[in-house]
Amino acid sequence: MPDNEPMTAARTSSPADHPQPGLRERKKTKTREAIRAATYALVKEQGYDATTIDQIAERAEVSPSTVFRYFPTKEDIVLTDEQDPILLALLRSRPAREAVADTMRYVMREGARMGFDEDPDMARLRTHLMVQVPAVRSRMMESMSVLGRMLCVAIGERSGRDPDSLEVRVYTMSLLGGLMETALYWGEHGHEDDFGALLDRTLDVLEHGLSKENT
Amino acid sequence: MPDNEPMTAARTSSPADHPQPGLRERKKTKTREAIRAATYALVKEQGYDATTIDQIAERAEVSPSTVFRYFPTKEDIVLTDEQDPILLALLRSRPAREAVADTMRYVMREGARMGFDEDPDMARLRTHLMVQVPAVRSRMMESMSVLGRMLCVAIGERSGRDPDSLEVRVYTMSLLGGLMETALYWGEHGHEDDFGALLDRTLDVLEHGLSKENT
DNA sequence: CATGAAATGAGAGTAGCTCTCAAAAGATGG
DNA sequence: CCATCTTTTGAGAGCTACTCTCATTTCATG
C-alpha cells in the first residue's frame, strides 16, 4: 500500500482546535477525499448512473466495503459537504432582532457564495446532477428537510414561536422549497445566471408573492 | 417494445367515457387493485420495509414480474393515485380572474377533501408512511415536483407570466413545499387535527409570512 | 375455430446496500 | 523494540429492488 502523499508532520504545538490529528485521522481524511475525487472523475467521464460503486472503489484504491463505510449511499458521495453547520453559524451571527426575512436573505446569499467559492466545479456538478438524476435530487431534498428542522429551531427562537408549530415549519419548508427550485433553475439554465441575483428574486417572491414585477 | 400504456383497441362503438371495458381491461383493473390491497394489508401487518415484492406478489396471486409491470417502484404501489388531473381540473374550474392565492386555497382544500373522503384509511396510511419511510417521502416529493410543473403552467396562465420563469416556479414550489410539510405535520401528530384547518393556517403563513397570530 | 395481439410467468442478471469475520495497521505502555 | 489493544480494512456472502428476455397463456376478432 504505497503512501503517495507527503506526510506533513504537523507537529507544531497545536491550538486546542486541532489536537494533532494523528496518523489514523489523516488517513481517514485522505480516503474520504480519494473516494470523492474518484467519483467526481468517473461521473464526469461516464455519467452518474453508469458509474458503479465497484468502479469508484477501484479507482480510489479501496474496497467497495470501505466506500460504504465512508458514505451511506452513492448519492451522498456527491452531495455531502457539511454545509448545515455553516448555515447555522451564519444565522446565529446575525442580530436577534433583525427581521427573519432579512436574516434569511443574508444567510442564503452568504451560504451560497461560500459554497460556490470553495469549489465552483463541485457546486456546478451538484446542481447539474440534481437536475439530471432523480435519486440525487431526492437525496438533496431529504438533507434539505434535515436542515429545515434545524432552521425551525433557529427561526422559532427569533420569531418567539414554538419551533415545532405548524407555522414555523411551513414557513421554513416553503423557504427551502423555493431555494431548491432556484438551484434547479440555475442548473437547468446551464449556470449562466448569477446565483446571487436569482436568490434575490426568489426571496422577493417568497416575501411578496406573485405581485410586482414579472418575467 | 411494450411501453407505458398499451393501447388496447377499444373498438366497440363507444361513448367516449366508458367504452364497455372488455374482459382484458377489467382484469387489469382487478390485478392492479389486488396488488394494492395486498400491499396495504402486508404493510399494516409487518411494516413497509419488511414487506418484499415477492410477498406482495404471492398474496396478490401474481408473479413478481407482474408487480413491476403495474408499478414502476415499490413506493408507487402505496402512493400512486392519479390525483394530479383532479387538482388540475379543480384549478381550471375556478374563474380566471380570481386571485391566485384564493384559487390555490380552494384547490388545495377541495383536493385534500376529495382524496380523504374517497378512502380515509389510505390517506392516513400514506401520510403515516411519508413520515416513517424516507423512500416513500422521497417518492412523494418527486411526484410533487411533477405536479409542480403542471401547476406552473396553470399559474403562469392566470398571473400572465411565463410559466418557466423563476418567479412562477419558486412561487409554485414553495407552495407545494409548505403543503408537503403540512401533510407531514398532520401525520406526525397522529391525524388528530382537522386537515382543512391546517391547510388554512398553512396558506395564511404562505400569504402573509410569519407576522400575525402565533402558536 | 384459427389467427394475431396482449398479458403473464419463469428465470437470469445487475447494482446498491448490509453484515460478518478475519487480517492489517495505528496507538499505547513497558 | 516488542506485546497488546483498538480501529480500520478487505473479502465475501446475502438480501432486495428492479430490468430484460423469452416462451406460454389468455383474450380479441374475423
Side-chain angles (χ1 to χ4, degrees):
Chain A
M1 211 61 70
D3 249 1
N4 21 9
E5 224 37 75
M7 270 247 245
T8 58
R11 83 252 85 82
T12 41
S13 63
S14 42
D17 255 69
H18 298 288
Q20 173 64 328
L23 181 51
R24 227 160 220 174
E25 292 303 314
R26 270 175 282 150
K27 270 205 159 182
K28 284 216 291 195
T29 316
K30 254 172 57 178
T31 303
R32 205 178 170 79
E33 269 164 27
I35 294 173
R36 240 202 276 266
T39 307
Y40 182 84
L42 284 168
V43 166
K44 281 220 300 194
E45 288 170 21
Q46 322 173 332
Y48 182 84
D49 288 328
T51 300
T52 72
I53 298 285
D54 284 5
Q55 290 175 333
I56 294 173
E58 194 183 353
R59 184 166 303 199
E61 293 181 300
V62 295
S63 78
S65 333
T66 300
V67 175
F68 285 113
R69 259 191 216 98
Y70 280 81
F71 299 94
T73 72
K74 188 178 159 188
E75 293 87 45
D76 281 282
I77 309 178
V78 167
L79 288 179
T80 302
D81 218 11
E82 307 72 10
Q83 59 207 168
D84 295 4
I86 296 180
L87 288 182
L88 278 195
L90 279 174
L91 207 159
R92 296 195 198 284
S93 78
R94 303 300 291 181
R97 56 192 79 260
E98 185 178 41
V100 175
D102 293 339
T103 305
M104 294 316 293
R105 193 179 287 262
Y106 171 84
V107 168
M108 292 309 155
R109 281 205 71 155
E110 200 58 16
R113 196 189 56 70
M114 287 172 66
F116 184 80
D117 285 356
E118 189 185 335
D119 192 339
D121 264 10
M122 196 63 182
R124 273 187 284 258
L125 177 63
R126 274 195 198 124
T127 47
H128 182 242
L129 290 180
M130 272 175 47
V131 172
Q132 301 285 339
V133 186
V136 172
R137 188 166 52 242
S138 288
R139 194 70 191 77
M140 187 67 188
M141 286 181 171
E142 267 303 301
S143 75
M144 202 187 66
S145 80
V146 172
L147 172 61
R149 300 311 302 241
M150 304 194 310
L151 278 187
C152 277
V153 175
I155 290 180
E157 280 176 14
R158 284 174 170 256
S159 61
R161 289 163 193 262
D162 177 5
D164 295 323
S165 69
L166 178 68
E167 279 75 13
V168 170
R169 287 180 55 178
V170 164
Y171 177 83
T172 307
M173 284 310 295
S174 85
L175 187 76
L176 289 181
L179 290 174
M180 183 80 179
E181 193 66 15
T182 310
L184 284 177
Y185 182 94
W186 188 55
E188 281 177 25
H189 291 73
H191 310 107
E192 284 169 9
D193 304 87
D194 172 46
F195 192 71
L198 293 183
L199 270 181
D200 271 336
R201 287 165 63 191
T202 293
L203 289 164
D204 285 342
V205 172
L206 293 179
E207 281 179 49
H208 306 114
L210 279 184
S211 44
K212 299 182 175 178
E213 63 267 51
N214 74 3
T215 187
Chain B
M1 213 138 33
D3 228 339
N4 293 350
E5 276 312 319
M7 242 332 186
T8 51
R11 83 270 65 88
T12 40
S13 64
S14 43
D17 256 72
H18 292 290
Q20 172 59 331
L23 181 50
R24 223 157 225 176
E25 291 304 314
R26 270 177 284 151
K27 271 204 159 182
K28 285 215 294 193
T29 318
K30 254 173 58 177
T31 304
R32 205 179 170 78
E33 269 163 28
I35 294 173
R36 241 203 275 266
T39 308
Y40 182 85
L42 284 168
V43 165
K44 280 220 298 193
E45 289 171 20
Q46 322 174 330
Y48 181 84
D49 288 328
T51 300
T52 71
I53 297 285
D54 283 8
Q55 290 176 332
I56 294 173
E58 194 182 353
R59 184 164 304 197
E61 294 182 299
V62 294
S63 78
S65 331
T66 300
V67 175
F68 285 113
R69 262 193 212 95
Y70 279 81
F71 300 93
T73 72
K74 188 178 159 189
E75 294 87 47
D76 282 281
I77 308 179
V78 167
L79 287 179
T80 302
D81 218 10
E82 307 72 12
Q83 57 206 171
D84 294 5
I86 296 180
L87 288 182
L88 279 194
L90 279 174
L91 207 158
R92 296 194 199 283
S93 78
R94 303 299 292 181
R97 58 192 77 259
E98 185 178 41
V100 175
D102 294 338
T103 305
M104 294 315 294
R105 193 179 287 261
Y106 172 84
V107 168
M108 292 308 156
R109 281 205 70 156
E110 201 58 17
R113 197 188 56 70
M114 288 172 66
F116 185 79
D117 285 356
E118 189 185 336
D119 191 340
D121 264 10
M122 196 63 182
R124 273 187 284 258
L125 176 64
R126 274 195 197 125
T127 47
H128 182 242
L129 290 179
M130 271 175 48
V131 172
Q132 301 286 337
V133 186
V136 173
R137 188 166 51 242
S138 288
R139 194 70 190 77
M140 187 67 188
M141 286 182 172
E142 267 300 302
S143 74
M144 201 187 66
S145 78
V146 172
L147 171 62
R149 300 312 302 240
M150 303 193 311
L151 278 186
C152 277
V153 175
I155 290 181
E157 280 175 14
R158 285 174 167 255
S159 61
R161 289 162 194 265
D162 177 5
D164 295 323
S165 70
L166 178 69
E167 278 76 13
V168 170
R169 288 180 54 176
V170 164
Y171 178 84
T172 307
M173 284 310 295
S174 86
L175 186 77
L176 289 181
L179 290 174
M180 183 80 179
E181 193 66 16
T182 309
L184 284 177
Y185 183 95
W186 187 55
E188 281 177 24
H189 291 72
H191 310 107
E192 285 169 9
D193 303 87
D194 172 47
F195 192 70
L198 293 184
L199 271 181
D200 271 337
R201 287 166 63 192
T202 292
L203 289 163
D204 285 342
V205 171
L206 293 179
E207 282 179 48
H208 306 114
L210 280 182
S211 44
K212 299 181 175 178
E213 64 268 48
N214 76 1
T215 186

